[in-house]
């Protein structure tokens, strides 16, 4: 089955710097890759997603890139702000039934 | 539009007791998921429903866990009897699509279960 690896597990940046979180997946048939932000004690919130027929997607300060050949995708946050501090999860969706397989999470800390 | 609703938000029980969690998905969402999230880890799927049919329950520990979605709308997840290792957050999610259709999954706030 699908397996998703996420790195780094923790990331600390200064306010205004960029942050990059990387994920790899194992099943070449996976076709959808969402990113979720989870603040402490709250629900995971979808922040951006990308489908397998697209290489890059951007939404204001957030962007996601997908390399299907290498089977990895990345989240890029520019001009980070303290409110970006949270745990970020990547996920890959298998092509058969819609199950999301999540990475282990990255705890991002943005220091003012 | 209301999001995914879950109750209770918190539950503390003694081991060997039963517990039930309830989820009401976003209106019109055909597919409903129950996930388990352990501290510091990503959600793991327990069961997926398309309307009232459980189409993927391969990761549901059926000796103690059960779920139902009788009318294809809200759903209940039950544990009987609970064990210490069941302490976690139980998340419900829903999506408009089904099967191979790709639609965003939206999560509820979760139920934090503590088994003592």
């Amino acid at each position: 089955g699908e397996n998703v690896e996420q790195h780094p597990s923790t990331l600390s940046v200064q306010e205004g710097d960029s942050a990059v979180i990387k994920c790899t997946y194992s099943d070449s048939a996976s076709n959808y890759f969402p990113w979720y932000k989870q603040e402490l004690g709250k629900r995971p919130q979808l922040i951006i997603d990308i489908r397998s027929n697209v290489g890059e997607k951007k939404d204001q300060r957030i962007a996601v890139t997908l390399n299907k050949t290498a089977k990895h995708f990345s989240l890029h946050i520019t001009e980070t702000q303290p409110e970006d501090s949270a745990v970020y999860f990547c996920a890959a969706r298998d092509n058969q039934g819609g199950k999301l397989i999540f990475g282990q999470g990255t705890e991002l800390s943005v220091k003012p | 539009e209301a999001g995914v609703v879950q109750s209770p938000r918190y539950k503390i029980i003694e081991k060997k007791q039963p517990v039930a969690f309830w989820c009401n998905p976003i209106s019109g969402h055909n597919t409903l998921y129950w996930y388990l999230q352990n501290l510091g880890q990503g959600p793991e799927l327990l069961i997926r429903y398309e309307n009232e049919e459980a189409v993927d329950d391969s990761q549901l520990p059926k000796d103690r866990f059960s779920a139902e979605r009788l009318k294809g709308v809200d759903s209940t997840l039950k544990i009987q009897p609970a064990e210490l290792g069941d302490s976690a957050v139980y998340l419900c999610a829903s999506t408009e699509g089904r099967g191979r259709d790709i639609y965003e999954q939206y999560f509820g706030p979760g139920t934090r279960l503590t088994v003592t």
Side-chain angles (χ1 to χ4, degrees):
Chain A
E2 176 65 278
N3 183 53
V4 177
E5 297 287 334
Q6 182 172 348
H7 299 280
S9 57
T10 60
L11 180 59
S12 182
V13 300
Q14 288 294 131
E15 182 177 1
D17 287 350
S18 295
V20 180
I21 302 171
K22 299 182 179 181
C23 290
T24 60
Y25 60 100
S26 60
D27 187 353
S28 57
S30 291
N31 59 0
Y32 173 67
F33 307 90
W35 286 88
Y36 286 85
K37 174 184 180 182
Q38 189 173 30
E39 297 177 36
L40 189 62
K42 296 190 176 181
R43 73 186 74 194
Q45 288 195 305
L46 180 68
I47 56 172
I48 196 167
D49 56 13
I50 191 167
R51 302 187 181 202
S52 58
N53 59 349
V54 176
E56 184 174 359
K57 184 177 178 181
K58 188 173 183 180
D59 183 3
Q60 299 182 357
R61 296 185 297 108
I62 296 173
V64 57
T65 59
L66 171 65
N67 183 328
K68 287 197 302 180
T69 302
K71 291 188 284 187
H72 67 70
F73 56 113
S74 300
L75 177 71
H76 304 253
I77 306 174
T78 59
E79 302 173 22
T80 54
Q81 301 167 4
E83 51 265 39
D84 294 330
S85 297
V87 178
Y88 291 80
F89 291 99
C90 64
R93 179 186 183 276
D94 72 76
N95 196 34
Q96 296 301 315
K99 180 167 68 176
L100 288 182
I101 305 298
F102 285 82
Q104 299 86 344
T106 296
E107 184 174 2
L108 174 64
S109 175
V110 180
K111 298 183 178 180
Chain B
E1 177 182 292
V4 178
V5 178
Q6 289 187 249
S7 68
R9 292 294 315 278
Y10 305 92
K11 190 73 176 179
I12 301 175
I13 60 171
E14 294 183 346
K15 62 181 180 182
K16 300 185 182 180
Q17 294 301 305
V19 64
F21 315 124
W22 178 79
C23 172
N24 196 31
I26 293 172
S27 178
H29 280 198
N30 302 305
T31 301
L32 181 148
Y33 308 79
W34 283 103
Y35 287 91
L36 167 72
Q37 186 175 29
N38 287 306
L39 188 64
Q41 297 183 24
E44 299 173 33
L45 182 70
L46 289 172
I47 189 168
R48 176 170 66 93
Y49 281 94
E50 288 186 7
N51 297 314
E52 66 276 6
E53 182 183 1
V55 295
D56 184 356
D57 63 355
S58 57
Q59 295 180 248
L60 188 73
K62 298 181 183 65
D63 57 335
R64 296 185 301 107
F65 286 65
S66 64
E68 60 183 19
R69 193 185 185 200
L70 295 176
K71 296 182 179 179
V73 180
D74 60 337
S75 176
T76 302
L77 177 68
K78 298 178 181 178
I79 309 175
Q80 182 170 13
E83 297 179 353
L84 294 176
D86 297 331
S87 296
V89 175
Y90 292 82
L91 292 164
C92 180
S94 70
T95 184
E96 186 177 357
R98 70 184 80 186
R100 301 181 66 170
D101 295 338
I102 300 175
Y103 290 87
E104 297 84 354
Q105 285 188 30
Y106 295 95
F107 282 86
T111 297
R112 181 176 298 276
L113 174 67
T114 302
V115 182
T116 63

